[in-house]
Amino acid sequence: METSTKSSAINYGLYLGGLMALTTILGYALYLDLLTKWWLGILLFIVIIVFGILSALKSKSIQNGVITFKEAFSSYFITVAIGIIISMVISILIFNFIDPDAAIALKEKTIDATIQMMRSFNAPEEAVAQTLEQMEAQKNQFSIAPQLQSNAIFLVIQAVIGLIVALIVKRDTENA
């Protein structure tokens, strides 16, 4: 992977990380309930994929339309990994060092939102009670170990998506 394509992927990753960090910071500072919304998670998931695709396509254009599977995947994955790591570091800093009480409040808001959603879908009260019990028993989801674990799992999911994107984007010299 050429230096210019690698630096392009890094730049896209920094932009993605900045956007995700800004979302977390604004949610924390302005409206903590925003961080409990299901649609925000879906939106960020889509944004992450879009940034990865744009990075792979930019790498392809830098190389005059010829990119190997490995280079396309690397562009995608570098972008996504940098973005996710930046976002994770910001979350760890805010919810563990700057304002640990916000993590507790966010957990309570998440529990309330989950229970409300389950009831809106007419879930049986036994299931609601069981979910409530499980969620209250969980440790702080914003502490370092759970953050590392959930982001590692998310990176694996993104790697699978990256493999599919690389398969679509790749164009070898013999096909050019």
Side-chain angles (χ1 to χ4, degrees), residues 50-72:
V50 167
F51 267 80
I53 291 169
L54 290 174
S55 176
L57 291 173
K58 179 67 175 178
S59 292
K60 184 177 180 179
S61 74
I62 288 171
Q63 298 184 152
N64 299 318
V66 177
I67 190 167
T68 65
F69 177 82
K70 178 183 176 185
E71 291 168 333

Side-chain angles (χ1 to χ4, degrees), residues 24-97:
T24 302
I25 292 167
L26 289 176
Y28 164 72
L30 302 176
Y31 185 58
L32 200 57
D33 287 358
L34 177 69
L35 300 178
T36 67
K37 303 297 183 192
W38 61 268
W39 54 264
L40 180 64
I42 292 172
L43 179 66
L44 288 175
F45 185 77
I46 292 168
V47 166
I48 290 167
I49 293 170
V50 167
F51 267 80
I53 291 169
L54 290 174
S55 176
L57 291 173
K58 179 67 175 178
S59 292
K60 184 177 180 179
S61 74
I62 288 171
Q63 298 184 152
N64 299 318
V66 177
I67 190 167
T68 65
F69 177 82
K70 178 183 176 185
E71 291 168 333
F73 175 76
S74 295
S75 291
Y76 181 96
F77 193 75
I78 287 170
T79 296
V80 169
I82 289 172
I84 290 170
I85 289 169
I86 291 170
S87 178
M88 178 183 66
V89 167
I90 293 301
S91 290
I92 289 172
L93 286 174
I94 290 173
F95 297 113
N96 288 285
F97 300 106

Side-chain angles (χ1 to χ4, degrees), residues 11-32:
N11 285 339
Y12 274 97
L14 292 173
Y15 296 140
L16 174 61
L19 179 66
M20 292 172 58
L22 182 63
T23 302
T24 302
I25 292 167
L26 289 176
Y28 164 72
L30 302 176
Y31 185 58
L32 200 57

